[in-house]
Structures are given as structure tokens and as C-alpha cells.
Amino acid sequence: MKIKIAFILSMCFWFSTSKAQSIESYGLEVQAYPAGIMFMAKTGFSLNDHNVLNARIGYNMARRKNFGKHDNEEGGGLGLNAGFRHYLKSVHTGFYYELKTSVWFLNIDWRDNNPNRTGSTSITVFQPTAMIGYDFSLNSKFSVGAYAGFGYEINVISSGEDVGQGGISLAGFSLSHKF
């Protein structure tokens, strides 16, 4: 766990120092999917008039119920992601598409009903995702956004019995403060 936290903190430090002169925004996001919800803090780094590099750190609260390999799978963990966003307008508002990849470090407790048994699995999940969305400017400093996406969860490292993985649909909302 200490290695995971050190990795996440070092990635945050790298993003903040390597692109500090071009920070475009920071904010909060909530993403919901059929088997859970993710809460994230984000920073956007302006690359040019149409493109933004996003870095996020967050918590994934998985409530898979019977979507996984077992009758009930629940758990959660920390993660981070990086994404490339392209706005159709040159003012970093309006319609956009984003390609992102996430890495989640999850601990999943599972239960089977017949036969009755329980267990726990630690997984590292790789999750590439494509999204489309729209950012609305509230004023010169704040914007809100809504988006939808589709990705794929791949359990790349697992300790314990297999748990669910596969396609994932997402819907999210964001609140951003712009510089």
C-alpha cells in the first residue's frame, strides 16, 4: 500500500511541476457506472487553444453486486488517470472528446451464496476509456460539465480469486475553476 501511495503522490508531483506554467483549471469530478461511483480531483494543463491534458486522482467505490465473477463483489481503492481532451471550440468550452487511461488499486470483498463462501481479492485495474462531453461556462472562472463514456476494465495484477472485469459505461459531472 505504501508503494501505491508513493506512486500516486509522485505522479501528482510530476504533473504539477512539469506543466505548472500551463495549468488551465482544477476541479472535482464524479463518475457513475452501473457497478459503482468514482470521486476525483483533477487538474487540466493547456496544450494549445483546443487541447488539454487532464490528470486525476481519486477513489473508486465498487458495488458490483453480481456483475462480477461472484454473487456479490464490493470494495474500492485509490487510482489515477491521465487524459487527452480535444475541444471543438478554441475556448476550452463546448463539445469535446477525451481519450483517457486509468489505473486503479482496488480491494474487492466477495461472497458466494451457493456454496456459502467469502474472500478478498486485491487487483490493479487498467482502464482505457473514450468520452464525449460538454463544458458550460458559468462565468470567466467556473465551468460545469457533463459527459458519457465507454471503456474496458482489465485486471492486470490480481492477488486472490478472479473478480469481474470487462466493458464499462460511465456518466460524469465536473466542476472546474479556470485560471
Side-chain angles (χ1 to χ4, degrees):
M1 183 64 172
K2 290 179 184 179
I3 292 172
K4 293 174 189 174
I5 292 171
F7 174 73
I8 290 170
L9 292 175
S10 65
M11 291 301 293
C12 291
F13 176 76
W14 180 81
F15 276 119
S16 66
T17 57
S18 67
K19 296 288 184 179
Q21 67 277 14
S22 63
I23 292 177
E24 183 257 348
S25 65
Y26 63 92
L28 301 172
E29 289 190 12
V30 176
Q31 291 182 9
Y33 60 105
I37 191 164
M38 298 175 235
F39 304 94
M40 292 178 281
K42 72 169 187 161
T43 301
F45 304 98
S46 178
L47 300 175
N48 57 41
D49 288 345
H50 290 275
N51 301 312
V52 174
L53 177 66
N54 285 311
R56 299 173 182 92
I57 184 169
Y59 186 82
N60 184 342
M61 187 170 56
R63 300 293 179 256
R64 295 175 174 171
K65 305 294 181 207
N66 62 354
F67 290 128
K69 303 269 186 185
H70 301 278
D71 293 330
N72 189 30
E73 295 182 4
E74 294 186 2
L78 296 174
L80 54 93
N81 72 50
F84 173 80
R85 180 177 292 185
H86 177 79
Y87 286 93
L88 301 183
K89 290 180 169 181
S90 63
V91 292
H92 294 183
T93 60
F95 285 104
Y96 66 84
Y97 64 85
E98 183 171 350
L99 301 174
K100 71 175 187 165
T101 187
S102 304
V103 177
W104 296 100
F105 305 100
L106 304 177
N107 292 310
I108 303 295
D109 295 324
W110 53 265
R111 175 180 44 81
D112 285 329
N113 295 330
N114 194 8
N116 190 16
R117 59 192 200 103
T118 61
S120 184
T121 301
S122 294
I123 54 173
T124 301
V125 177
F126 175 70
Q127 180 185 330
T129 305
M131 302 184 321
I132 57 170
Y134 193 92
D135 280 346
F136 305 87
S137 283
L138 297 176
N139 57 39
S140 63
K141 293 288 183 186
F142 290 95
S143 67
V144 295
Y147 54 88
F150 182 78
Y152 203 83
E153 290 184 336
I154 304 163
N155 297 342
V156 292
I157 300 172
S158 183
S159 175
E161 285 197 25
D162 287 344
V163 293
Q165 62 181 341
I168 182 173
S169 56
L170 302 161
F173 299 95
S174 65
L175 173 64
S176 299
H177 178 269
K178 296 186 175 218
F179 288 101

